[in-house]
């Protein structure tokens, strides 16, 4: 066949003709072939009419079809591209399509997807017929499954226009050249009495009824089978019966069908039709309508066919983002549909949008973009990340809003493998050093330490040697308990990067200082980590030949966790590759009084419980939209150096569990001061455990807390879900500087080899002492009142109370 057409002298035709497509034989005067536009790879369809072996009548019909299709322009009518006539053949080039009968046979959809898709297809053909009958004053006269085609986007297109006639002509139904098409003629064709009742759309509505039956049952071979309604959806049943009714005047107008079926609970009223119609009219929608639409679109995409999503919805989303005012709401559905593209298409369509997005000054856009980073970072070239994206991301480290700083820190996890030496080992670490030391949000300081542990494997070996130990020891001196715990577990998880000399002279002494930490969870992690490091030293002491293998990864650019040095810290390795700190407040909004700890609190204070009271309040960064993880480390510990027990039975989430988080609460992630008249104990302290999340990274909530013990917690607002983002300059959280000593700490860079402990302000201990004295005074007053009441009861007569002992 190919050689036959290649000999045709139609060199002026701009399309190459390929193999024939089955599906319309004996149902059309044309044969359908695949084609390509010359000089490009654009696929088209070419309808071929063999002039040499056909009659004059057939040729006239074919020419009339070309002329008619050339003048019809509608989204649901087959798109004309070009035509060419020679002595032997007539060519008609259209958009790439395949016959509907063939398309339905190979359709892999089922369930809700198939129902929505077929409803959309029938809607499109009904809309095309309304255009012909009402707007064009034309009758199609050939509506059936063989005259409908489907393009690459899954859209149904009405073709087969060989028998189109004007409604101004007489009501005669044209005679079909092919006998196989006569089965679709309405009954009034052979009944003169009924032909007088014909309307401008009655014959096409009969054809629409035949098409609906064929979509659900297969090709029609006998008109009597149209009475079989078993496979017709019940929602469509009444309308179908009207379409195939014997009386032509009772058949509805296609415009009325659309109106009826688009009402609530109508057949055309579904998510797919609503979505595609909105996208067709998106240019006339206002900004609020667009934002609502895109925000609600993502959950529905799973029920839409991939072809429709890829070729119809995604291009509209990209266009809406580039040229419209869709805003950040378009990001989630756009990135979700990006998975349907191959690598070349992704680079061409999505990556330019991503690069443009990172330059946005809108905080909501930047926050959502950072949250979606893991879904598209794999498609970005390293040069693009370093030259165009990272410079924009780096601005977030210094943002005044905690949400952006938090998301920026976490984004480094995904960016690190693609960053060059300077960006990762210089720029990122410079920002991390500042955040870990100076940021007023405990959660951000904690997660900076966690993130540093996660990206340790990507750092240059010399930088690792210089930075890690200093950074983690600094974290271990943080007033915020989760930050101290993060430093301990990060040391354990990255233990293969340290020389044994450093373990003995720097790491173990720093760890031993925390064996008396007020927090039980911190002490548990410390003892476990100390035993692990001691076990390494003991093994090398017994067998010095092991030292080389223990230090094998210290100077290795791509270390392996399978060597002898990594076997004991599997629990911490799992931790550092899994969890980030997250506040309890986002999943448990109940108010719990939580006691606050002071790292350097004098041991002379009288609190006997494992939790001590701080008379000041501190705010904690909370991360919304994160799942809560319950659990407790418990008091189990390894009593000997059984390295097999250091497996994955614990995870990073245990960092804060144990119920003693110093600066977190169940209300807004804030540590509210407890009543100073009621010293806490193990029995009366409500404890809330915070979690470490590895799924979603939500936003941070800033909470404002009064320093009064009984004050209510107030929140200026939550994170990125609102377009207005809280400016930390205007809403700075109360951090309890007196207790935590955050403002006057002595901070050193990671280049230092010695670290001084974080100092507290001199006024903090004075206030603690005053609070202690007040509690003592109130306690004495209550005791005196109780003694007075007892004395008064003893001196007055009266009936004895039940259970009282008569003196």
């Amino acid at each position: 066949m190919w050689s036959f057409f290649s000999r045709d002298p139609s060199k002026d035709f701009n399309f190459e003709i390929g193999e024939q497509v089955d599906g319309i034989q004996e149902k059309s005067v044309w044969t359908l072939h695949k084609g390509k536009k010359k000089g490009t790879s654009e696929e088209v369809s070419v309808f071929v009419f063999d002039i040499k072996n056909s009659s004059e009548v057939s040729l006239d019909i074919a020419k009339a079809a070309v002329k008619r299709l050339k003048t019809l322009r509608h989204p649901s009518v087959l798109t004309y591209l070009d035509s060419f006539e020679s002595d032997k053949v007539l060519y008609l080039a259209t958009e790439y399509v395949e016959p509907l009968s063939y398309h339905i046979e190979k359709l892999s959809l089922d369930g809700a997807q198939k129902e929505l898709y077929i409803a959309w297809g029938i809607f499109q053909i009904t809309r095309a017929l309304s255009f012909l009958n009402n707007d064009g004053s034309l009758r199609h006269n050939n509506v059936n499954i063989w005259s409908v085609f489907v393009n690459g986007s899954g859209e149904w297109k009405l073709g087969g226009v060989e028998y189109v006639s004007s409604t101004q002509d007489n009501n005669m139904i044209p005679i079909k050249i092919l006998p196989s098409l006569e089965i679709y003629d309405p009954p009034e064709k052979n009944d003169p009495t009924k032909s007088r009742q014909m309307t401008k759309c009655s014959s096409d509505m009969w054809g629409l009824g035949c098409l609906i039956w064929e979509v659900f049952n297969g090709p029609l071979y006998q008109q009597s089978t149209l009475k079989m309604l078993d496979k017709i959806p019940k929602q469509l049943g009444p309308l179908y019966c009207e379409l195939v009714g014997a009386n032509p005047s009772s058949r509805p107008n296609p415009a009325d069908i659309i109106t009826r079926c688009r009402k609530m609970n109508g057949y055309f009223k579904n998510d797919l039709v609503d979505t595609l119609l909105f996208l067709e009219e998106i240019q006339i929608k206002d900004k609020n309508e667009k934002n609502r639409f895109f925000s609600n679109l993502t959950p529905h995409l799973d029920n839409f066919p991939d072809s429709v999503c890829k070729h119809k919805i995604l291009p509209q989303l990209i266009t809406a983002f580039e040229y419209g005012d869709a805003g950040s709401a378009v990001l989630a559905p756009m990135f979700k549909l990006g998975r349907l593209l191959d690598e070349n298409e992704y680079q061409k369509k999505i990556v330019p949008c991503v690069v443009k997005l990172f330059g946005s000054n809108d905080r909501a856009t930047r926050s959502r973009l950072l949250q979606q980073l893991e879904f598209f970072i794999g498609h970005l070239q390293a040069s693009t990340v370093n030259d165009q994206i990272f410079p924009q991301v780096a601005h977030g480290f210094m943002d005044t809003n905690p949400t952006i700083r938090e998301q920026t820190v976490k984004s480094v996890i995904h960016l690190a493998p693609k960053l060059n030496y300077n960006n990762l080992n210089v720029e990122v670490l410079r920002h991390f050093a500042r955040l870990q030391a100076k940021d007023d949000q405990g959660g951000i300081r904690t997660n900076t330490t966690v993130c540093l542990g996660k990206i340790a494997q990507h750092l240059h070996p010399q930088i690792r040697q210089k930075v890690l130990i200093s950074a983690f020891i600094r974290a271990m001196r943080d007033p915020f308990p989760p930050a101290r715990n993060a430093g301990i577990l990060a040391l354990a998880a990255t233990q293969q990067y340290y020389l044994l000399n450093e373990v003995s002279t720097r790491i173990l002494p720093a760890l031993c200082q925390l064996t008396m930490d007020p927090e039980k969870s911190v002490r548990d992690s410390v003892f476990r980590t100390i035993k692990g490091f001691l076990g390494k030293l003991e093994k090398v002491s017994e067998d010095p030949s092991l030292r080389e293998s223990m230090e094998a990864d210290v100077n290795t650019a791509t270390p392996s966790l399978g060597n002898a040095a990594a076997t004991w810290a599997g629990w911490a390795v799992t931790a550092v590759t899994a969890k980030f700190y997250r506040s309890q407040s986002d999943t448990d909004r109940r108010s719990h009084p939580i006691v606050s700890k002071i790292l350097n609190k004098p041991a002379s204070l009288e609190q006997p419980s494992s939790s001590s009271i701080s008379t000041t309040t501190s705010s904690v960064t909370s991360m919304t939209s994160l799942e809560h993880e319950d659990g407790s480390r418990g008091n189990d510990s390894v009593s000997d150096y059984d390295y097999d027990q250091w497996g994955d039975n614990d995870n990073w989430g245990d960092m804060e569990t144990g119920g003693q988080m110093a600066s977190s609460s169940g209300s807004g992630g804030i540590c509210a001061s407890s009543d100073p008249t009621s010293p806490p104990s193990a029995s009366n302290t409500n404890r809330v455990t915070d979690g470490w999340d590895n799924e979603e990274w939500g936003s941070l909530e800033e909470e404002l807390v009064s320093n009064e013990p009984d004050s209510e917690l107030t929140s200026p607002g939550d994170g990125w879900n609102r377009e207005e983002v809280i400016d930390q300059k205007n809403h700075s959280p109360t951090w309890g500087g007196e207790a935590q000593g955050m403002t006057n700490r002595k901070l050193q860079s990671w280049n230092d080899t010695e670290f001084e402990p974080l100092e507290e302000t001199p006024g903090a201990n004075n206030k603690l002492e005053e609070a202690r004295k007040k509690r003592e005074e109130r306690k004495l007053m209550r005791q005196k009142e109780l003694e007075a009441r007892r004395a008064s009861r003893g001196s007055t007569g009266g009936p004895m109370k039940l259970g009282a002992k008569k003196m």
Side-chain angles (χ1 to χ4, degrees):
M1 181 65 70
W2 182 269
S3 60
F4 170 79
F5 289 113
S6 64
R7 291 192 300 269
D8 193 273
S10 55
K11 295 181 180 180
D12 294 335
F13 190 52
N14 199 28
F15 300 91
E16 298 176 356
I17 303 169
E19 61 183 2
Q20 182 175 338
V21 178
D22 296 331
I24 61 172
Q25 294 89 340
E26 299 181 357
K27 303 292 183 179
S28 173
V29 296
W30 303 90
T31 57
L32 178 60
H33 295 257
K34 293 181 179 180
K36 288 185 179 182
K37 188 174 183 179
K38 291 180 179 178
T40 69
S41 58
E42 178 186 354
E43 291 187 333
V44 299
S45 288
V46 180
F47 292 83
V48 179
F49 180 81
D50 186 3
I51 297 178
K52 188 175 181 180
N53 299 316
S54 301
S55 63
E56 287 291 331
V57 177
S58 298
L59 178 59
D60 292 340
I61 290 177
K63 288 182 179 180
V66 172
K67 183 178 179 181
R68 183 67 68 183
L69 194 62
K70 192 174 184 178
T71 59
L72 293 176
R73 294 293 181 181
H74 188 269
S76 298
V77 175
L78 190 62
T79 303
Y80 169 91
L81 296 179
D82 196 4
S83 59
F84 177 83
E85 181 180 359
S86 68
D87 296 338
K88 298 180 179 179
V89 292
L90 175 62
Y91 295 144
L92 170 62
T94 68
E95 60 181 316
Y96 179 78
V97 292
E98 60 186 20
L100 177 61
S101 58
Y102 173 74
H103 181 76
I104 291 179
E105 286 181 6
K106 71 170 190 176
L107 196 63
S108 59
L109 305 178
D110 55 8
Q113 275 194 345
K114 186 174 183 179
E115 294 174 5
L116 296 179
Y117 177 65
I118 290 180
W120 166 242
I122 296 175
F123 169 83
Q124 289 179 293
I125 299 305
T126 306
R127 183 172 62 173
L129 293 175
S130 177
F131 165 71
L132 290 177
N133 297 159
N134 299 314
D135 300 331
S137 298
L138 299 172
R139 292 193 187 97
H140 188 275
N141 293 317
N142 188 31
V143 182
N144 53 68
I145 198 171
W146 312 107
S147 62
V148 177
F149 301 88
V150 183
N151 67 7
S153 302
E155 296 178 292
W156 293 17
K157 298 298 187 84
L158 182 62
V161 294
E162 291 81 19
Y163 303 101
V164 171
S165 63
S166 172
T167 57
Q168 305 302 323
D169 298 340
N170 55 38
N171 289 336
M172 295 297 296
I173 298 174
I175 299 175
K176 307 294 192 328
I177 299 297
L178 302 175
S180 59
L181 296 178
E182 292 180 357
I183 194 174
Y184 299 106
D185 290 336
E188 59 267 23
K189 178 180 180 180
N190 300 320
D191 189 342
T193 58
K194 290 184 178 181
S195 63
R196 288 191 292 268
Q197 302 178 26
M198 288 179 59
T199 65
K200 63 180 180 180
C201 56
S202 58
S203 62
D204 287 344
M205 292 304 95
W206 172 272
L208 180 62
C210 296
L211 172 64
I212 292 174
W213 190 93
E214 290 182 303
V215 167
F216 295 102
N217 295 273
L220 178 68
Y221 296 106
Q222 294 181 0
Q223 280 196 358
S224 59
T225 57
L226 292 174
K227 299 178 181 179
M228 300 171 58
L229 305 179
D230 298 343
K231 296 184 180 180
I232 305 293
K234 293 182 180 180
Q235 199 176 12
L236 198 56
L239 173 63
Y240 169 76
C241 292
E242 293 180 32
L243 293 174
V244 294
N247 186 358
S249 61
S250 65
R251 297 172 197 154
N253 187 288
D256 295 335
I257 294 176
I258 293 175
T259 301
R260 287 166 51 185
C261 292
R262 284 288 295 157
K263 291 182 179 179
M264 190 61 64
N265 298 322
Y267 185 66
F268 296 152
K269 186 64 178 177
N270 62 52
D271 293 333
L272 180 60
V273 177
D274 291 346
T275 298
L276 296 175
L277 289 180
F278 186 94
L279 290 174
E280 288 182 358
E281 303 170 352
I282 195 170
Q283 301 300 330
I284 62 174
K285 304 293 184 180
D286 61 37
K287 185 175 181 179
N288 291 331
E289 287 179 306
K290 293 178 184 178
N291 285 334
R292 283 196 302 269
F293 169 76
F294 290 123
S295 298
N296 298 326
L297 176 60
T298 305
H300 300 303
L301 295 176
D302 292 331
N303 291 327
F304 297 169
D306 287 350
S307 60
V308 176
C309 289
K310 179 179 178 180
H311 301 289
K312 182 71 175 177
I313 298 178
L314 182 57
Q316 292 278 12
L317 297 181
I318 296 174
T319 301
F321 170 76
E322 290 181 339
Y323 305 107
D325 53 355
S328 61
V330 76
L331 299 183
M334 185 171 71
F335 289 137
K336 184 171 184 177
L337 295 184
R339 60 181 172 80
L340 301 175
L341 302 177
D342 59 35
E343 189 60 31
N344 291 334
E345 291 177 314
Y346 201 100
Q347 294 293 326
K348 183 179 179 181
K349 296 179 180 179
I350 304 295
V351 171
C353 296
V354 170
V355 173
K356 180 181 177 181
L357 280 169
F358 274 104
S360 173
N361 292 324
D362 179 59
R363 276 175 168 159
T365 300
R366 288 161 57 194
S367 180
R368 292 191 181 187
L369 187 62
L370 292 173
Q371 287 183 308
Q372 299 285 332
L373 184 61
E374 60 182 306
F375 298 112
F376 58 82
I377 187 64
H379 298 280
L380 301 180
Q381 302 295 328
S383 58
T384 303
V385 173
N386 285 283
D387 299 338
Q388 301 181 59
I389 292 179
F390 178 76
Q392 301 295 337
V393 172
H395 295 310
F397 289 117
M398 296 175 287
D399 199 281
T400 57
N401 184 266
T403 301
I404 303 300
R405 297 201 306 275
E406 182 85 7
Q407 298 297 340
T408 303
V409 168
K410 293 176 177 179
S411 70
V412 176
I413 297 295
H414 305 291
L415 293 172
K418 293 180 179 289
L419 293 179
N420 58 31
Y421 177 89
N422 184 71
N423 284 340
L424 179 60
N425 295 277
V426 178
E427 293 298 321
V428 168
L429 295 187
R430 177 171 62 85
H431 290 296
F432 273 20
R434 180 180 51 79
L435 289 172
Q436 190 197 43
K438 298 181 180 181
D439 200 278
D440 61 351
Q441 300 288 327
I444 293 180
R445 299 197 306 275
T446 302
N447 285 337
T448 300
T449 301
V450 175
C451 186
L452 183 60
K454 287 173 176 280
I455 67 172
Q457 60 179 319
H458 303 294
L459 298 175
H460 190 275
Q462 293 180 358
I463 300 298
R464 281 202 304 259
Q465 287 278 94
K466 187 177 181 180
V467 166
L468 293 188
I469 297 178
S470 298
F472 297 150
I473 289 178
R474 168 183 283 166
M476 289 160 55
R477 294 170 179 171
D478 195 290
F480 192 47
R484 301 198 298 275
N485 218 343
I488 296 166
L489 293 185
L491 273 176
T494 57
Q495 47 78 38
Q496 70 270 26
Y497 302 132
Y498 310 132
L499 296 170
L500 294 183
N501 286 336
E502 292 180 321
V503 171
S504 62
T505 59
R506 296 183 64 190
I507 296 176
L508 284 175
L511 289 171
C512 289
Q513 293 179 20
L514 294 182
T515 54
M516 293 297 291
D517 192 273
E519 290 291 334
K520 180 65 164 61
S521 60
V522 174
R523 296 196 302 272
D524 289 342
S525 298
V526 164
F527 285 119
R528 196 170 193 181
T529 305
I530 288 175
K531 290 177 182 179
F533 277 117
L534 286 175
K536 287 180 65 174
L537 295 176
E538 185 178 22
K539 278 191 171 183
V540 174
S541 177
E542 295 295 330
D543 185 1
S545 63
L546 292 177
R547 180 166 186 167
E548 183 178 354
S549 63
M550 290 287 185
E551 298 177 345
D553 288 340
V554 172
N555 296 311
T556 304
T558 56
S560 170
L561 296 182
N563 60 34
T567 55
W568 66 270
W571 59 282
V573 172
T574 301
V576 86
T577 56
K579 305 290 184 180
F580 271 102
Y581 170 78
R582 144 188 92 62
S583 173
Q584 162 74 12
S585 62
D586 305 310
T587 52
D588 187 359
R589 292 289 176 185
R590 298 168 298 177
S591 294
H592 294 280
I594 303 299
V595 292
S596 180
K597 301 285 172 50
I598 305 298
L599 177 60
N600 297 321
K601 181 175 179 179
S604 61
L605 296 182
E606 78 286 358
Q607 305 301 338
S609 65
S610 59
S611 292
S612 55
I613 293 182
S614 170
T615 58
T616 60
T617 60
S618 63
S619 70
V620 179
T621 303
S622 70
M623 294 157 40
T624 60
S625 311
L626 298 181
E627 298 177 2
H628 173 54
E629 296 180 8
D630 293 321
S632 175
R633 174 178 295 280
N635 297 324
D636 57 319
S637 61
V638 180
S639 59
D640 56 17
Y641 300 127
D642 183 1
Y643 300 98
D644 293 336
Q645 296 188 40
W646 295 85
D648 295 336
N649 55 339
D650 282 35
N651 58 34
W652 195 252
D654 296 330
M655 184 175 293
E656 78 297 349
T657 55
Q660 308 197 24
M661 304 313 297
S663 302
S664 62
S665 76
S667 179
I670 299 176
C671 174
S673 60
S674 58
D675 187 354
T677 64
S678 303
S681 64
S683 61
N684 67 0
T685 301
N686 293 325
R687 298 170 181 173
V688 178
T689 60
D690 293 338
W692 295 79
D693 192 87
N694 63 336
E695 295 292 335
E696 297 178 290
W697 294 337
S699 62
L700 309 176
E701 287 187 356
E702 291 183 275
E703 302 281 356
L704 301 181
V705 181
S706 171
N707 283 335
E708 295 299 325
D710 299 326
S711 65
E712 295 182 357
L713 307 180
T714 60
S715 170
D718 56 4
W720 59 267
N721 285 328
R722 295 186 297 106
E723 294 239 350
E724 294 184 27
V725 186
I726 302 168
D727 190 342
Q728 193 170 351
K729 293 180 180 178
N730 300 326
H731 301 283
S732 58
T734 303
W735 252 94
E738 297 84 0
Q740 302 291 351
M742 291 295 297
T743 56
N744 295 325
R745 292 182 303 172
K746 290 185 178 179
L747 304 176
Q748 300 181 3
S749 70
W750 289 348
N751 295 333
D752 298 337
T753 57
E754 296 295 334
F755 283 81
E756 298 181 13
L758 298 174
E759 295 183 355
E760 300 183 11
T761 55
N765 289 336
N766 293 336
K767 290 194 174 185
L768 288 174
E769 188 65 24
E770 291 176 5
R772 184 184 67 81
K773 290 179 179 180
K774 288 181 180 180
R775 288 196 294 272
E776 289 293 339
E777 292 173 0
R778 292 179 185 178
K779 184 176 180 181
L780 291 174
M781 291 178 62
R782 285 200 302 271
Q783 289 177 351
K784 291 178 181 180
E785 291 176 357
L786 289 174
E787 291 175 358
R789 291 195 192 103
R790 294 194 190 102
S792 63
R793 285 198 298 269
S795 62
T796 57
M800 294 179 62
K801 294 182 180 180
L802 182 62
K805 183 177 181 180
K806 185 175 181 179
M807 301 300 293

